[in-house]
């Protein structure tokens, strides 16, 4: 095995990033979504491109400008994201699954805009497939898979269990109960969990600085197999 990330240069490294929320249609005008701004995934894409990587960003609906030098493709639903990621993953070395995938989707979206009729409306939701877990089953030697977790309660044992259950090579967790960080904030505070059970607090920083700290940590552990 050779180390290909000398001097922080990611030239020739292919990075796949998912970012932002997914929108799950209720009818043609309404959807189920979440508060993800996409900023963390966009910052990771920008930082990887700045190091010379070839970057593909699969983005849910966000209001962010495309990062310079990044190939951006847009999706809306978790199903679209799952299809896009599984198609793109084989052509990439490192994958950041930073999207906030909706855990549920309406089982049968109303085919036309639902009109009020003076009664209540009950939605029935189905669980979406776990994209990160299925990418880990699709993984080839040398590929590196990074997961994220936004938790209201930071429990190291549960986070390690999440990392292992999903087969990720690294999990970055942040505490969403803190009003000053996360979601639409430009700052975040993250802890990095590894499959060997170790955790590393990365501190509270801008999402750009945090992205570079994450890339630095990947440089320490990731070795691309010799071609
Ligand atoms: N994820 C995914 N597909 C899903 C749900 C989540 O790929 N259907 C990914 C996220 O992009 C993230 C990681 O899995 O990288 C952890 O997401 P999280 O929501 O914390 O995990 P869940 O398995 O959905 O568990 P929870 O019930 O805590 O939401
Ligand atoms: Ca979830």
């Amino acid at each position: 095995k050779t180390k290909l990330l000398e001097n922080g240069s990611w030239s020739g490294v292919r990075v796949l990033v998912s970012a932002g929320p997914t929108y799950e249609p209720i009818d043609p005008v309404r959807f189920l979504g979440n508060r993800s701004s996409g900023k963390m995934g966009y910052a990771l894409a920008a930082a990887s491109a700045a190091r010379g990587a070839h970057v593909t960003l699969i983005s849910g609906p966000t209001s962010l400008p495309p990062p310079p030098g990044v190939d951006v493709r847009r999706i809306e639903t978790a199903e679209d994201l799952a299809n896009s990621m599984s198609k793109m993953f084989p052509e990439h070395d490192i994958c950041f699954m930073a999207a906030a995938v909706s855990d549920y989707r309406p089982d049968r979206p109303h085919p036309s805009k639902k009109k009020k009729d003076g009664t209540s409306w009950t939605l029935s939701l189905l669980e979406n497939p776990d994209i990160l877990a299925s990418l880990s089953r699709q993984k080839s030697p040398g590929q590196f898979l990074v997961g994220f977790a936004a938790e209201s309660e930071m429990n190291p044992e549960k986070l390690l269990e999440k990392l292992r259950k999903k087969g990720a090579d690294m999990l970055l967790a942040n505490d969403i109960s803190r009003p000053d960080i996360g979601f639409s904030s430009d700052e975040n505070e993250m802890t990095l969990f590894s499959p060997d059970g170790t955790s590393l607090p990365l501190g509270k920083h801008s999402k750009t600085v945090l992205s570079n700290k994450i890339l630095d940590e990947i440089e320490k552990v990731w070795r691309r197999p010799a071609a």
Side-chain angles (χ1 to χ4, degrees):
K1 292 192 173 189
T2 40
K3 183 158 166 51
L4 289 183
L5 299 175
E6 303 294 345
N7 314 320
S9 169
W10 287 40
S11 172
V13 179
R14 300 161 303 172
V15 173
L16 178 63
V17 184
S18 72
T22 66
Y23 283 1
E24 311 297 326
I26 297 171
D27 74 10
V29 297
R30 304 178 177 95
F31 59 86
L32 270 181
N34 62 67
R35 295 187 191 281
S36 167
S37 66
K39 283 179 184 170
M40 192 64 217
Y42 275 60
L44 279 161
S48 302
R51 291 190 185 200
H54 172 90
V55 184
T56 308
L57 173 60
I58 314 290
S59 176
T62 71
S63 54
L64 302 171
V70 170
D71 177 11
V72 183
R73 296 160 190 229
R74 299 199 172 266
I75 53 85
E76 287 208 341
T77 66
E79 189 190 4
D80 293 343
L81 180 60
N83 290 335
S84 234
M85 293 302 285
S86 106
K87 185 164 159 263
M88 301 302 290
F89 185 53
E91 289 155 37
H92 292 81
D93 304 300
I94 298 173
C95 173
F96 294 100
M97 191 63 207
V101 185
S102 175
D103 289 328
Y104 300 97
R105 67 177 184 278
D107 67 344
R108 226 161 29 90
H110 201 270
S112 54
K113 187 189 169 198
K114 174 87 163 75
K115 302 298 271 183
K116 287 189 294 183
D117 61 6
T119 68
S120 64
W121 181 14
T122 304
L123 292 175
S124 164
L125 305 179
L126 296 175
E127 197 173 306
N128 275 326
D130 193 317
I131 301 171
L132 179 56
S134 69
L135 292 176
S136 84
R137 291 189 290 269
Q138 201 187 325
K139 203 170 79 165
S140 301
Q143 284 188 301
F144 195 87
L145 200 46
V146 183
F148 292 79
E151 305 282 350
S152 342
E153 189 198 342
M154 294 278 275
N155 177 326
E157 278 73 43
K158 284 190 182 153
L159 286 161
L160 281 170
E161 192 188 309
K162 185 174 272 189
L163 162 75
R164 290 181 178 136
K165 196 178 70 187
K166 289 174 182 267
D169 299 297
M170 183 178 277
L171 185 77
L172 292 147
N174 65 287
D175 183 349
I176 58 164
S177 67
R178 308 233 334 238
D180 53 327
I181 50 173
F183 287 123
S184 50
S185 168
D186 288 325
E187 285 205 312
N188 208 347
E189 181 170 340
M190 294 189 127
T191 303
L192 187 161
F193 290 85
S194 300
D196 64 4
T198 57
S199 66
L200 177 71
L202 297 179
K204 181 180 169 183
H205 301 281
S206 72
K207 288 178 177 176
T208 300
V209 168
L210 269 175
S211 294
N212 280 298
K213 287 181 179 286
I214 293 165
L215 300 187
D216 290 345
E217 292 306 316
I218 292 175
E219 288 186 11
K220 292 180 193 166
V221 294
W222 183 66
R223 300 284 185 281
R224 191 160 59 166

